[in-house]
Amino acid sequence: MQVGARVLKTGFAIVFALFLAELLNLPSPVFAGIAAIFAIQPSIYRSYLTIIEQLQGNFIGATIAVTFGLIFGHHTVTIGLAAIIVIAIMLKFKLNSSLSLALVTVVAIMVYEGEDFLEFGIIRFITVMVGVFAAFLVNLVFIPPRYEIKLFKMIDSLQDDIIRWTRLAARQASEHTSTKNALNKFHSRLSGIENMYDFYKEERHYSKKKRFIQARKLVMYRQMIITTKKSLELLHRLNKHENEIANLPVPFRTMIQERLDFLLTFHEQLLLKFTGKLKPEHSKWVDEEDDKHADVMEHLIQQIAFEQNREGEEEFSSYHLFYIFSRLLDYEENLEHLDTLIVSFRSYHSTEKNSDLEEDFY
């Protein structure tokens, strides 16, 4: 079993919240620990937003709890009615994320039946907020998230697998069902990448220079994800129409394989270039392939014209060539755009190094 950073942060946040509550001599410090559990978030920015939402939610919960307690007493039915009112208000103001902790605040306050009920309600509210602030401090200081490293690692790993399966599919060497199962897993991993991109996007920098660099990196990472999607779409088409490709003339099929190999190799080298392992100007070698690109299109037109003159089901294969080559061209255009972005970034920010990124890969 692997214990992640968030698990460790949760444990430290609970301990820190309990310690602060005891240091401030707050009664029932356990509620500070409970609040810390709810307040731990996967990013510093989300943790900051959580403080704002939890402050609003707990203020609503504490206000309703004190009001109902003073007017209607502390009967269990009254607690239930107060909880319903709090839920309605929270949903109205779209504070869903802090709803659970607000309900904890309601119950924690209304179960008390002493004469100093108002003072007790304020103290319970403060106790809960101590737990929220403790969780924020832990998230800010302890094991700061490195979402850029995680994001690139996920992209690189997924793309490596897609390239491997694409090379097999282009030669009809992969088993159809196995490729289909792999595609389903790839789509799931791609969703995880998009979530990680959102976490990285939420990172905040105080330096104007850092913010500018991150903005450019976000554009590159977004293009990496788009290009990965295009390569995944291409693999899906190759798998879906493997029979049509297998029935193509050998020279034409070989030409498709060579073009695919070139693009896949180019994609691998772009990832190397991004990590600083290749020179930025290395993309100039792509220009040498322009004539081959024109040859591919010319042969495609000839093959479609040839297939249309054939009878029976053979004509159906030419129809699917459009799907395959549209994905191929789309993939190629996105690779070229990604190359432009990487070269531009490396040219204007040559002194900007991410040692963790450059040392952890390849």
Side-chain angles (χ1 to χ4, degrees), residues 13 83-84 109 111 138 147-148 158 160 213 220 233-234 244 269 286 294 301 310 326 332 337 342 355-356:
I84 293 174
I109 292 176
V111 293
V138 169
Y147 289 118
E148 182 182 359
L158 176 57
D160 185 58
I213 292 175
M220 283 191 294
E233 292 172 1
L234 176 59
E244 285 80 3
Q269 294 181 347
V286 180
I301 295 172
R310 302 173 67 179
S326 65
E332 182 171 354
H337 183 48
I342 293 174
S355 56
D356 293 332

Side-chain angles (χ1 to χ4, degrees), residues 38-272:
F38 285 103
I40 281 292
Q41 295 295 321
S43 70
I44 296 175
Y45 180 66
R46 290 194 182 188
S47 187
Y48 164 74
L49 294 179
T50 297
I51 287 184
I52 305 300
E53 293 181 3
Q54 298 288 14
L55 179 61
Q56 295 172 337
N58 284 298
F59 178 78
I60 293 172
T63 302
I64 297 297
V66 171
T67 302
F68 269 66
L70 292 175
I71 297 176
F72 303 107
H74 305 273
H75 195 273
T76 53
V77 176
T78 305
I79 297 176
L81 291 175
I84 293 174
I85 298 299
V86 169
I87 293 173
I89 295 175
M90 299 285 283
L91 294 179
K92 176 67 176 179
F93 290 100
K94 298 181 179 179
L95 298 172
N96 305 50
S97 61
S98 57
L99 177 58
S100 299
L101 191 55
L103 293 177
V104 170
T105 303
V106 171
V107 176
I109 292 176
M110 293 194 70
V111 293
Y112 182 75
E113 300 182 8
E115 295 181 358
D116 54 343
F117 176 67
L118 179 60
E119 180 183 351
F120 175 82
I122 295 174
I123 293 175
R124 277 287 161 88
F125 172 76
I126 294 174
T127 303
V128 171
M129 290 310 302
V130 165
V132 174
F133 279 104
F136 174 73
L137 291 176
V138 169
N139 208 37
L140 183 66
V141 177
F142 183 70
I143 313 180
R146 302 165 62 202
Y147 289 118
E148 182 182 359
I149 306 299
K150 294 179 181 178
L151 176 60
F152 182 78
K153 184 177 181 179
M154 293 172 70
I155 294 174
D156 180 67
S157 176
L158 176 57
Q159 191 59 61
D160 185 58
D161 290 338
I162 292 175
I163 289 174
R164 185 182 302 111
W165 280 94
T166 301
R167 286 196 170 109
L168 293 173
R171 291 164 172 78
Q172 295 79 50
S174 59
E175 201 274 325
H176 182 82
T177 304
S178 298
T179 308
K180 188 175 181 180
N181 293 334
L183 283 167
N184 293 332
K185 294 179 181 178
F186 292 161
H187 284 292
S188 177
R189 291 167 64 182
L190 188 60
S191 298
I193 289 174
E194 292 179 332
N195 291 334
M196 188 60 64
Y197 175 83
D198 290 336
F199 289 148
Y200 176 59
K201 187 177 180 181
E202 291 172 353
E203 287 188 357
R204 295 295 183 267
H205 297 280
Y206 299 105
S207 168
K208 183 177 180 181
K209 179 181 178 182
K210 290 290 185 180
R211 290 198 299 269
F212 177 69
I213 292 175
Q214 186 194 23
R216 296 198 67 175
K217 282 187 174 182
L218 284 171
V219 174
M220 283 191 294
Y221 280 118
R222 171 49 58 186
Q223 184 59 33
M224 283 185 194
I225 296 173
I226 292 174
T227 307
T228 298
K229 286 182 179 179
K230 298 304 179 182
S231 65
L232 189 56
E233 292 172 1
L234 176 59
L235 175 58
H236 174 73
R237 283 295 173 181
L238 291 173
N239 180 62
K240 186 175 182 179
H241 305 304
E242 60 181 354
N243 292 330
E244 285 80 3
I245 297 175
N247 292 328
L248 291 172
V250 175
F252 188 72
R253 190 167 66 246
T254 302
M255 184 182 61
I256 295 177
Q257 293 172 1
E258 291 176 351
R259 190 63 187 175
L260 270 173
D261 286 338
F262 166 75
L263 294 178
L264 296 174
T265 302
F266 183 35
H267 200 161
E268 290 173 328
Q269 294 181 347
L270 285 180
L271 297 178
L272 283 168

